[in-house]
Amino acid sequence: MIRVILLGSGNLAIHLARALMADTKVELAQRYARNNDNADYFDTSIPFTVDLKQLFTADVFIIAITDDAIHCFSKDLDLADGLVIHTSGNLSYEALQVKNGRGVLYPLQTFSKSKELNFNSVPLCIEVEKASDLAILETLANSLSNIVYHINYEQRIYLHLAAVFANNFSNHLFKIAKDICDKQQLSFEILKPLIIETSNKVTGLDPYLAQTGPAKRKDQKVIENHLKHLDKNQQEIYKLLTKSIHKSYL
Amino acid sequence: MIRVILLGSGNLAIHLARALMADTKVELAQRYARNNDNADYFDTSIPFTVDLKQLFTADVFIIAITDDAIHCFSKDLDLADGLVIHTSGNLSYEALQVKNGRGVLYPLQTFSKSKELNFNSVPLCIEVEKASDLAILETLANSLSNIVYHINYEQRIYLHLAAVFANNFSNHLFKIAKDICDKQQLSFEILKPLIIETSNKVTGLDPYLAQTGPAKRKDQKVIENHLKHLDKNQQEIYKLLTKSIHKSYL
């Protein structure tokens, strides 16, 4: 049984708490947050504190807070024992200002409070400072998910960057697509099969080969007609992505 | 039994031919193309011609060729009878220079030769010039797919535009994400669960609410670090989409 304490109460902490509670090899001994604002999203049986001095002992302390806060927050931790890890895609374990063993468990997924998710299929990227800490982090990661990768800091930055393009930016394009539908009182439902296929397609076909549409075909008439129907911000994005697709298929 | 002739041999024609052949209410009587280059993708039992003068009679003629060619191509059609439709998201039925009844059947989906697809779940947007032609097009569309919408020309332009953002541009972002992985010799496999979740998420959650990531959080440190790791083209796209996300969450 790995004894875990979870620090943080955001989107990721909410999903992590659920996965840790469901995990038979793990005991979620306590959770900490600055305040109890998101209390409704957590199992009430988990002991909770807002006071770092009241932290119990544990094998692993998981810091799931925003990147900017990790460095300063970790300075206030005074832990006799246990591995301390953060969950950021962008920071080295060196961001953790603790005398304990340090590591990272970066889940490569998008988490929202109100969207259920099967944690077993979330890719977990792990790294530890000291080889002697690897076994416990590996055991923890493997019991949380079926997909565990050993990824160093440099690789992790690039993975996070790729994830920003694949998820954050794509989601924003879905938002623009919905804006266009909304303005014409067209239901966003009509687009959903296309959105699902857009992702499904690249699980079996290289996205380079999966590309279709007027930009790929260099169909200038359609492109010009499209631009007339967009607002300024949408036009800028349309032009830049069309140019980038053009360059890819010279 | 609706007797159909299919004109064209590209990605969409390939998928349409399969769906028409599988449809018990439809007889795919003949197919036409300029040449037989894609012959391998079509059932050899479908009578084929490269000569428009050899076209059989039919109830519906489906023109599935590139937008640019539809206007001129249709001028060469000399058909005694039958409804003539095209499959473009961007053209009115008026693009069809025929004396026959005219209409549109626009499938809102992305089609690639080498990617199988269940046509039953492809949204079909239909429109006819004469009300008297509606019944046959409706019957044809409903037997090909479970999702049929009546969409006029103006609406269709916006739907196609939304589809360009939702599919063409998102796919290009997946391509960039893969480029980033490839350059670091990281497997694109690691990103696939995230890509699948990106689409799944917005089927149940408004994309505005589904947004996560450094741009949404206005995490300037991460954004600046990311920009250092990108090439010029990627930087331009990163900056513009980050700016657009910022503006959406003021």
Side-chain angles (χ1 to χ4, degrees):
Chain A
M1 205 69 158
I2 303 175
R3 199 174 144 87
V4 173
I5 290 179
L6 178 64
L7 304 109
S9 62
N11 290 336
L12 172 57
I14 291 166
H15 284 272
L16 260 177
R18 280 178 205 157
L20 290 164
M21 289 294 283
D23 192 326
T24 53
K25 289 183 190 156
V26 172
E27 182 201 356
L28 179 51
Q30 190 182 26
R31 65 179 194 87
Y32 158 92
R34 273 182 307 180
N35 57 53
N36 212 0
D37 286 354
N38 279 338
D40 291 350
Y41 292 97
F42 291 92
D43 190 313
T44 49
S45 71
I46 312 164
F48 173 73
T49 182
V50 292
D51 182 359
L52 288 178
K53 286 176 195 134
Q54 303 295 322
L55 287 186
F56 302 156
T57 59
D59 301 307
V60 183
F61 295 84
I62 307 178
I63 302 179
I65 65 176
T66 58
D67 288 14
D68 278 358
I70 289 173
H71 187 78
C72 291
F73 174 77
S74 64
K75 268 189 182 168
D76 296 335
L77 286 178
D78 185 22
L79 306 165
D81 219 343
L83 174 67
V84 178
I85 61 175
H86 70 62
T87 53
S88 163
N90 294 286
L91 297 173
S92 158
Y93 51 68
E94 289 175 1
L96 296 165
Q97 298 283 95
V98 291
K99 56 186 188 304
N100 305 53
R102 302 183 290 185
V104 180
L105 179 141
Y106 166 54
L108 191 72
Q109 191 48 281
T110 170
F111 298 96
S112 290
K113 281 188 196 78
S114 46
K115 171 67 172 70
E116 292 286 332
L117 194 72
N118 178 10
F119 215 92
N120 283 318
S121 54
V122 174
L124 298 180
C125 305
I126 60 169
E127 186 187 14
V128 284
E129 181 177 15
K130 285 182 267 172
S132 57
D133 287 325
L134 187 57
I136 193 163
L137 186 54
E138 241 180 350
T139 307
L140 177 62
N142 283 316
S143 79
L144 283 170
S145 169
N146 302 320
I147 316 174
V148 177
Y149 295 96
H150 293 259
I151 297 286
N152 66 32
Y153 178 39
E154 181 79 0
Q155 292 172 317
R156 192 151 32 84
I157 290 179
Y158 282 102
L159 271 184
H160 185 255
L161 198 38
V164 166
F165 279 87
N167 168 268
N168 302 168
F169 292 165
S170 291
N171 182 76
H172 186 59
L173 297 180
F174 297 159
K175 186 240 168 213
I176 293 175
K178 184 171 181 293
D179 289 346
I180 293 169
C181 289
D182 286 352
K183 217 176 155 188
Q184 304 303 316
Q185 282 143 333
L186 290 160
S187 167
F188 185 52
E189 284 301 315
I190 310 182
L191 284 183
K192 288 182 179 175
L194 177 67
I195 288 175
I196 291 295
E197 175 65 8
T198 303
S199 287
N200 280 344
K201 208 173 171 182
V202 298
T203 62
L205 191 65
D206 187 312
Y208 182 82
L209 300 173
Q211 189 67 49
T212 56
K216 160 87 183 293
R217 292 195 305 270
K218 301 183 175 60
D219 195 334
Q220 214 50 44
K221 259 192 202 164
V222 172
I223 292 167
E224 275 158 32
N225 188 33
H226 276 172
L227 287 170
K228 284 183 214 153
H229 292 80
L230 294 171
D231 71 26
K232 227 171 180 164
N233 181 50
Q234 292 164 350
Q235 275 178 356
E236 263 192 288
I237 295 171
Y238 189 104
K239 280 185 199 166
L240 185 60
L241 290 173
T242 294
K243 189 179 79 174
S244 180
I245 293 172
H246 277 181
K247 277 193 249 169
S248 306
Y249 298 88
L250 284 179
Chain B
M1 206 70 158
I2 302 175
R3 198 174 145 88
V4 173
I5 290 179
L6 177 64
L7 303 110
S9 62
N11 290 335
L12 171 57
I14 291 166
H15 284 272
L16 260 177
R18 279 179 206 158
L20 290 164
M21 289 295 282
D23 192 327
T24 53
K25 289 184 191 155
V26 172
E27 181 202 356
L28 179 50
Q30 190 182 26
R31 66 179 195 87
Y32 158 90
R34 274 182 306 180
N35 57 53
N36 211 2
D37 285 355
N38 278 339
D40 292 351
Y41 292 97
F42 291 91
D43 191 313
T44 49
S45 71
I46 311 165
F48 173 73
T49 182
V50 292
D51 182 358
L52 288 178
K53 286 176 196 135
Q54 304 294 322
L55 286 187
F56 303 157
T57 60
D59 301 307
V60 183
F61 295 83
I62 306 178
I63 301 179
I65 65 176
T66 57
D67 288 15
D68 278 358
I70 289 173
H71 187 77
C72 291
F73 174 77
S74 65
K75 268 189 184 169
D76 295 334
L77 285 178
D78 184 22
L79 306 165
D81 218 343
L83 174 67
V84 179
I85 61 175
H86 69 61
T87 54
S88 162
N90 294 287
L91 297 173
S92 158
Y93 51 68
E94 290 175 359
L96 296 165
Q97 299 283 94
V98 292
K99 56 186 187 304
N100 305 52
R102 301 182 291 185
V104 180
L105 180 142
Y106 166 54
L108 192 72
Q109 191 48 283
T110 169
F111 299 96
S112 290
K113 281 189 196 79
S114 47
K115 170 68 172 68
E116 292 286 333
L117 194 72
N118 178 9
F119 215 92
N120 283 319
S121 54
V122 174
L124 299 180
C125 305
I126 60 168
E127 186 188 15
V128 284
E129 182 178 15
K130 285 182 269 172
S132 56
D133 288 325
L134 187 58
I136 193 163
L137 186 55
E138 240 180 351
T139 307
L140 176 63
N142 283 316
S143 79
L144 283 170
S145 170
N146 302 321
I147 317 173
V148 177
Y149 295 96
H150 293 259
I151 298 286
N152 66 33
Y153 178 39
E154 182 78 1
Q155 293 172 317
R156 191 150 34 84
I157 289 178
Y158 283 102
L159 272 184
H160 186 255
L161 198 38
V164 166
F165 279 88
N167 167 268
N168 303 168
F169 292 164
S170 292
N171 182 77
H172 187 60
L173 297 180
F174 297 159
K175 186 240 168 211
I176 292 175
K178 184 172 181 292
D179 288 346
I180 293 169
C181 289
D182 286 351
K183 217 176 155 187
Q184 304 303 317
Q185 282 142 333
L186 290 160
S187 167
F188 185 53
E189 285 301 315
I190 310 182
L191 284 183
K192 287 182 180 174
L194 176 67
I195 288 176
I196 291 294
E197 175 65 8
T198 303
S199 286
N200 280 344
K201 210 173 170 181
V202 298
T203 62
L205 191 65
D206 188 312
Y208 183 82
L209 300 173
Q211 189 68 49
T212 57
K216 160 86 183 291
R217 292 194 306 269
K218 300 184 176 58
D219 195 334
Q220 214 49 44
K221 259 193 203 165
V222 173
I223 292 167
E224 274 158 32
N225 188 33
H226 276 172
L227 287 171
K228 284 183 215 152
H229 292 80
L230 294 171
D231 72 25
K232 226 168 181 171
N233 182 50
Q234 292 163 348
Q235 274 177 356
E236 263 192 288
I237 295 171
Y238 189 103
K239 279 184 198 166
L240 185 60
L241 290 173
T242 293
K243 190 178 79 174
S244 180
I245 293 172
H246 277 182
K247 277 193 250 171
S248 307
Y249 297 89
L250 284 180

